[in-house]
């Protein structure tokens, strides 16, 4: 049973999707930054329990599947200040420690708020001349009446994603 149903909150199902959705979704955002840490260190931070605690817009991230994580892993997310709750399922999980390449992607299975048809994230880590290159992609499709506002969602969501990028770079600069 997922965290949304356990909390007796309304659960709005979202649609699953494949990796190509990160390129074709009505609302997308992607940023790619160099981090001053090894690919293994970055991956470890991105896949630990309570990850993303450095992001101001995220209240909590909890893996709800036992380690080791992989395809089928689930987790719950709560966005700050706590009004939005998501149940996520990973459909891609690739780790190649010898090459320093890592990738995972999830889609949201359920949200406690209406208005989303599909939402997910793709994270990729690879070696760079110094440290690693981290690429984070977001894909969103709004539902119902909200879908008509998709063309306005990119500029609005860009500010939110800029905060995530700033917080992430700041976090990794402390290593």
């Amino acid at each position: 049973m997922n965290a949304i149903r356990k909390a007796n909150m309304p659960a709005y199902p979202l649609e699953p999707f494949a990796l190509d959705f990160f390129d074709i979704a009505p609302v997308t955002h992607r940023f790619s930054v160099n981090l001053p840490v090894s690919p293994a260190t970055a991956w470890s931070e991105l896949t630990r329990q309570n990850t993303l605690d450095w992001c101001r817009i995220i209240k909590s991230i909890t893996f709800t599947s036992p380690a080791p994580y992989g395809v089928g892993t689930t987790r719950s997310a709560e966005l700050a200040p706590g009004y939005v709750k998501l149940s996520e399922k990973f459909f891609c999980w690739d780790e190649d420690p010898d090459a320093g390449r890592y990738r995972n992607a999830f889609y949201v299975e359920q949200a406690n708020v209406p208005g989303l048809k599909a939402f997910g994230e793709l994270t990729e880590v690879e070696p760079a001349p110094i440290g690693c290159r981290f690429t984070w992609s977001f894909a969103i499709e709004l539902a119902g009446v909200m879908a008509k506002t998709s063309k306005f969602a990119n500029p609005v969501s860009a500010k939110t994603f800029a905060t995530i990028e700033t917080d992430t770079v700041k976090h990794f600069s402390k290593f």
Side-chain angles (χ1 to χ4, degrees), residues 15-34:
E15 294 182 2
F17 53 82
L19 282 172
D20 67 340
F21 189 66
F22 291 101
D23 295 319
I24 63 171
V27 179
T28 61
H29 185 80
R30 176 176 291 133
F31 68 84
S32 190
V33 296
N34 283 339

Side-chain angles (χ1 to χ4, degrees), residues 59-139:
K59 185 173 181 185
S60 68
I61 300 282
T62 306
F63 280 93
T64 53
S65 294
Y69 306 132
V71 171
T73 292
T74 58
R75 69 180 192 184
S76 63
E78 188 172 348
L79 306 182
Y83 303 126
V84 178
K85 296 179 185 344
L86 310 170
S87 294
E88 306 166 345
K89 184 173 186 174
F90 286 87
F91 64 94
C92 170
W93 198 290
D94 301 319
E95 297 183 7
D96 185 350
D98 292 338
R101 296 186 183 281
Y102 304 87
R103 175 176 76 160
N104 66 23
F106 70 81
Y107 53 77
V108 172
E109 291 188 296
Q110 294 182 341
N112 71 327
V113 294
L116 290 172
K117 183 175 181 179
F119 174 74
E121 298 176 19
L122 167 65
T123 59
E124 301 169 284
V125 178
E126 59 189 357
I130 298 175
C132 68
R133 187 82 178 155
F134 170 50
T135 304
W136 203 348
S137 303
F138 303 83

Side-chain angles (χ1 to χ4, degrees), residues 141-158:
E141 184 171 358
L142 300 174
V145 176
M146 297 297 293
K148 295 180 190 325
T149 65
S150 286
K151 67 180 178 181
F152 302 108
N154 263 330
V156 173
S157 63

